[in-house]
Amino acid sequence: MIGTVLVTGGAGYIGSHACAALMEAGYQVVVLDNLCNSSLVSLERVGEICATSPIFVQGDVRDRDCLDKIFHAHTITAVLHFAGLKAVGESVDFPLEYYDNNVVSSLVLLAAMQQAGVTNIVFSSSATVYGDPPSVPIREDFGLCPTSPYGRSKLMVEDILADWHVANPNWSVCRLRYFNPVGAHPSGLIGEDPQGFPNNLMPFVAQVAVGEREKLFVFGDDYATADGTGVRDYIHVMDLVEGHVVALEYICRQPGLHTINLGTGNGVSVLDMVKAFEHASGQSVPYEIVKRRPGDIAACWADPRLAETLLQWTASRSLAEMCEDAWRWQQGNPRGYA
Ligand code: NAD
Ligand code: UD1
């Protein structure tokens, strides 16, 4: 299905990589982003990678007029809905902002899509909807129990999409549950650009390696894991966005409600990540063990078999590639896009 895709949140970390992957696959792309957590430079860089830039509209997904104008001006065949707020700790302090931004935007988007007759949507959900799983690897049919307003906002949108699909069975709805996206485009031109103190492991490690920060704080070494540190399923952002392109093609052939994990199926500890990054960068990453971060779980990794069966997609890039690509981006852009 080649056509024009609306990418909400397309200037952000995952969205900008998705724009590049879509355009490389032959799609035209319209981005809607209010730039609350991103820079337009990301899309200029996508233009350098793909020789042409996506069409950019600065606006808020909650702004119905703005959406109507986009659907009127372009023949949109599908929407990739990345726009949202994503910081777990911040969501605890500002829950209304999270519910408003993440849930209301999705309601407004669905209504505008319905009016425009656009019936294909891929939604960015998160492994955070599983909460603390009873076992690993995590399958899509596991119970859902998010532990933060951020996670609950993702689950609310998942539920809204399911209800919407019952009422509109001709729609194609895909809920993709990402594990831990890391890394950057191999060009080093686009990557993750956290504002202020990075919450997530990989950008923190990268900032220590490049000398922006003195050391990594490892949140606990007394978990029931091989080395005592937390274990996660890190997935290269290029694998993740290629998963979106195939998911889009799949849902356009197969109307339905689809819920799919995007992960590698491999568990990597914090100390494994430190070692891999040191190897990729040739820099040392000093660290200090500190107490556990409240709300963290010991181990979380995907059962990725459903994606393989339905989409014929598996993540192919190694932990070494994730670190090498993150390092290339970090070295070339030590202060991000600023
Ligand atoms: P990001 O913050 O880099 O990108 C989100 C983009 O959405 C930003 O460009 C921001 O300006 C934009 N935005 C936010 N609210 C908006 C609104 N109301 N209207 C228009 N634009 C708006 O985040 P990301 O890491 O690229 O994440 C993309 C999506 O994937 C999010 O929905 C996030 O919750 C989800 N997700 C991310 C991760 C992760 O680790 N990065 C993991 C699981 C799920
Ligand atoms: C975080 C979010 C989760 C989101 C996911 C993917 C929290 C509580 N959870 O999860 O909702 O879906 O990102 O983006 O924020 N670590 C350190 N030092 C650091 C940073 C992290 O030791 O400075 C450890 C953590 O304890 C964890 C691992 O590194 O064991 C990964 O942490 P992080 O990158 O924040 O991802 P998640 O905890 O999986």
Side-chain angles (χ1 to χ4, degrees), residues 308-329:
E308 197 176 342
T309 307
L310 294 183
L311 310 178
Q312 282 83 55
W313 169 92
T314 49
S316 64
R317 293 166 177 87
S318 64
L319 179 61
E321 273 175 284
M322 300 178 209
C323 295
E324 284 157 15
D325 290 337
W327 177 238
R328 191 175 304 108
W329 154 255

Side-chain angles (χ1 to χ4, degrees), residues 20 23 41-54 189-190:
M23 291 170 75
V41 178
S42 66
L43 295 181
E44 291 165 13
R45 301 272 181 92
V46 171
E48 281 182 53
I49 294 166
C50 301
T52 135
S53 293
L189 288 171
I190 54 174

Side-chain angles (χ1 to χ4, degrees), residues 266-279:
N266 302 319
V268 169
S269 77
V270 177
L271 296 183
D272 291 335
M273 177 64 89
V274 168
K275 273 184 234 129
F277 208 95
E278 287 185 330
H279 191 259

Side-chain angles (χ1 to χ4, degrees), residues 7-17 31-39 42 57-63 81-87 98 100-102 104-105 123-128 150 153-154 176-182 191-195 200 237 240 244:
V7 180
T8 75
Y13 170 45
I14 302 171
S16 56
H17 290 77
V31 168
L32 172 61
D33 199 303
N34 64 7
L35 302 180
C36 70
N37 194 38
S38 53
S39 159
S42 66
V57 178
Q58 183 163 356
D60 197 295
V61 185
R62 291 163 293 185
D63 179 347
H81 182 31
F82 293 102
L85 303 178
K86 63 166 182 178
Y98 271 68
D100 185 41
N101 206 324
N102 294 358
V104 174
S105 66
F123 171 62
S124 301
S125 189
S126 166
T128 200
Y150 165 68
S153 76
K154 288 287 166 191
L176 294 179
R177 295 183 180 148
Y178 312 160
F179 280 69
N180 290 59
V182 297
E192 187 169 10
D193 180 20
Q195 307 299 305
N200 297 114
V237 66
L240 186 84
H244 284 67

